[in-house]
Amino acid sequence: MKAIAKNIYYVGVNDRQKQRFENLWPLPGGVSYNSFLILDKKTALVDTVDICYSDIFFKKIDKLLEGRMLDYLIVDHMEPDHAGSIRLLRQQYPEMKIVGNKQTFRMLEGFHNITDGLHEVKEGESLDLGDHTLTFYMAPMVHWPEVMLTYEETEKVLFSADAFGTYGTLDGGVLDTEMNTDRYRNEMIRYYANIVGKYGGPVQKALQKLSALDIRMICSTHGPIWTEQHAEIIKLYDRLSRYEGINGVTLIYGSMYGHTEQMAETIAAALAENGIKEIAMHDVSKTHASYILRDVFHYKGLIIGSPTYNTQLFPEIDSLLQKIESRDVKNRLFGYFGSFTWAGAAVKHLAAFGEKMKWEIVGTPVEQKQGIRAEEACTALGQTMAERLKQEQ
Ligand code: FEO
């Protein structure tokens, strides 16, 4: 078990089995469920792990406690990937007080039927463990309503619940200084877009609270512990939660027989010819929405193309638009195009979508009938988007 700061130990686990997080989002590199044990005059555990891993988890805690009592369990988040082991933990340590807020305790009763041995905390209240003091800050809707952040003031450690989390197991090292963190960067954006993306406003409020704290280390419930790179990841979260994209384009299309795809190819070539180096191109039938959402959050430019299908959008495009809308993605520069065989509808639906999202429409939309090529119009769309993005620099 790794000591990450004086008398604070990492006791989390890796999940290399699960195919999809929340049974939705692919986990090619697995995921970690992070938990931390503080050994002081009083002992405190911060969060638990998915119930599938409770056995490994309890062994780690038992070993570190060396027969001592576990005095407190701090529950920063009640989603079962962290709160799944609470009922078993209470059986193991019946004297343990569970620390949370009013919302936590409603969920604790609902999920685990636990109503006693509780220690309620409110915004800014502290819990003295001896040499360590924990202070609690409410962060509703980052990612659920009961979420709170716990700050340990002696070691200046922030336990941040899902905030700053990322997919990917911890393969040996735990701290960012012990590993090459490159593989987590894209995965942090994907995690944000999939899980927290809807809640940009609440994330901004939480970041405001954090700005008053002297933070040396961020311990999220998923992924590496951020020490040297903590300021950088706070900056990334700030950008993502303001829905601010970097200069580049996510180019998304659906295509049954390749005609809409050829339009996308022409647009991509025009973007590149006009100086856009960051182009993330996705065929919705091949790439899981999880990865496409990542790029929609990452880039300022967004171009979507769809064939007309049963007088509607291509179904996979329709489904993706619903996911983008439910995350209330703001401030995108939006271009669109589509195709049809006998009656066009896709372009009309994309126009309505852009309007609903209140995005700036860039370029002239292109609508292609059958295989008649619309190269010039597609080139113009790519060129106009590139020029508009240059104005953002
Ligand atoms: Fe990692 Fe919202 O749970």
Side-chain angles (χ1 to χ4, degrees):
M1 276 77 63
K2 172 98 185 159
I4 59 155
K6 196 174 174 199
N7 294 326
I8 305 180
Y9 295 85
Y10 178 80
V11 289
V13 298
N14 286 314
D15 186 342
R16 301 176 192 275
Q17 306 293 322
K18 192 167 279 164
Q19 296 292 314
R20 289 190 176 199
F21 193 75
E22 294 182 338
N23 219 8
L24 281 169
W25 316 106
L27 289 173
V31 69
S32 71
Y33 309 121
N34 298 344
S35 169
F36 304 89
L37 183 64
I38 305 170
L39 298 179
D40 203 326
K41 290 186 185 68
K42 297 282 184 185
T43 60
L45 183 68
V46 183
D47 291 311
T48 73
V49 302
D50 189 293
I51 194 166
C52 301
Y53 293 87
S54 55
D55 193 38
I56 304 168
F57 177 56
F58 289 169
K59 278 184 185 141
K60 292 185 180 192
I61 297 166
D62 280 352
K63 196 167 175 190
L64 282 167
L65 283 175
E66 295 179 316
R68 287 184 68 187
M69 201 172 114
L70 180 59
D71 295 298
Y72 296 108
L73 168 66
I74 316 298
V75 181
D76 282 335
H77 186 15
M78 275 299 297
E79 194 164 5
D81 51 337
H82 312 296
S85 299
I86 292 180
R87 190 170 36 213
L88 291 175
L89 191 74
R90 173 47 82 70
Q91 283 167 15
Q92 194 102 337
Y93 303 102
E95 306 295 318
M96 167 190 89
K97 286 259 186 295
I98 300 178
V99 180
N101 55 65
K102 263 199 174 55
Q103 297 261 29
T104 319
F105 294 151
R106 283 190 204 120
M107 292 184 189
L108 195 63
E109 182 176 8
F111 280 115
H112 296 293
N113 202 24
I114 295 176
T115 55
D116 61 348
L118 310 180
H119 178 95
E120 188 183 323
V121 291
K122 296 194 178 74
E123 175 74 19
E125 282 186 3
S126 295
L127 182 67
D128 187 7
L129 301 177
D131 292 333
H132 300 80
T133 304
L134 303 176
T135 305
F136 306 96
Y137 298 94
M138 303 303 130
M141 302 320 299
V142 183
H143 150 230
W144 279 16
E146 86 299 356
V147 168
M148 60 184 200
L149 312 174
T150 299
Y151 178 66
E152 196 293 302
E153 63 188 48
T154 309
E155 296 296 316
K156 305 188 189 321
V157 176
L158 178 75
F159 300 100
S160 65
D162 279 345
F164 313 110
T166 167
Y167 301 127
T169 50
L170 295 171
D171 300 341
V174 171
L175 303 166
D176 59 357
T177 47
E178 298 176 309
M179 63 179 83
N180 181 342
T181 57
D182 290 354
R183 78 175 177 108
Y184 295 103
R185 285 313 172 95
N186 272 345
E187 286 297 76
M188 180 179 276
I189 300 172
R190 185 165 73 93
Y191 179 88
Y192 180 88
N194 297 172
I195 308 299
V196 194
K198 183 178 173 57
Y199 307 111
V203 171
Q204 278 290 309
K205 277 189 194 150
L207 290 175
Q208 277 290 321
K209 287 185 190 181
L210 298 187
S211 66
L213 303 176
D214 180 11
I215 295 169
R216 190 176 68 87
M217 180 181 280
I218 294 180
C219 298
S220 170
T221 45
H222 302 287
I225 290 156
W226 301 102
T227 59
E228 275 182 356
Q229 297 171 42
H230 81 269
E232 212 178 304
I233 66 148
I234 290 176
K235 226 163 136 185
L236 175 65
Y237 249 62
D238 182 42
R239 173 172 79 76
L240 294 172
S241 58
R242 284 188 284 107
Y243 299 92
E244 191 183 291
I246 67 162
N247 219 295
V249 177
T250 315
L251 176 46
I252 305 161
Y253 65 93
S255 191
M256 286 180 276
Y257 297 102
H259 299 107
T260 316
E261 183 174 62
Q262 284 310 306
M263 296 174 81
E265 296 277 16
T266 307
I267 294 166
L271 287 167
E273 265 166 37
N274 288 279
I276 302 299
K277 290 185 179 168
E278 299 266 357
I279 303 168
M281 204 158 159
H282 294 294
D283 175 346
V284 275
S285 299
K286 275 194 182 162
T287 309
H288 192 279
S290 172
Y291 297 90
I292 304 178
L293 285 171
R294 173 197 65 199
D295 290 335
V296 169
F297 270 80
H298 191 45
Y299 294 114
K300 177 93 180 165
L302 174 62
I303 302 179
I304 303 180
S306 171
T308 297
Y309 194 92
N310 290 340
T311 73
Q312 298 296 320
L313 288 163
F314 190 62
E316 297 295 330
I317 290 282
D318 201 25
S319 162
L320 180 71
L321 296 192
Q322 188 265 327
K323 291 179 180 71
I324 295 172
E325 188 186 351
S326 74
R327 284 162 179 75
D328 198 16
V329 178
K330 300 180 210 310
N331 305 327
R332 289 297 170 267
L333 300 175
F334 182 51
Y336 56 95
F337 62 101
S339 65
F340 65 97
T341 300
W342 67 93
V347 165
K348 185 182 70 186
H349 288 300
L350 288 169
F353 181 71
E355 198 175 320
K356 190 159 55 174
M357 298 301 289
K358 300 189 177 74
W359 289 339
E360 178 183 329
I361 306 300
V362 175
T364 306
V366 189
E367 191 169 34
Q368 175 176 273
K369 184 175 182 182
Q370 297 158 5
I372 299 162
R373 298 181 66 79
E375 275 192 35
E376 272 181 32
C378 287
T379 299
L381 177 56
Q383 194 175 353
T384 312
M385 178 62 85
E387 280 161 9
R388 179 65 189 84
L389 280 167
K390 275 179 209 154
Q391 292 167 13
E392 295 282 308
Q393 285 173 335

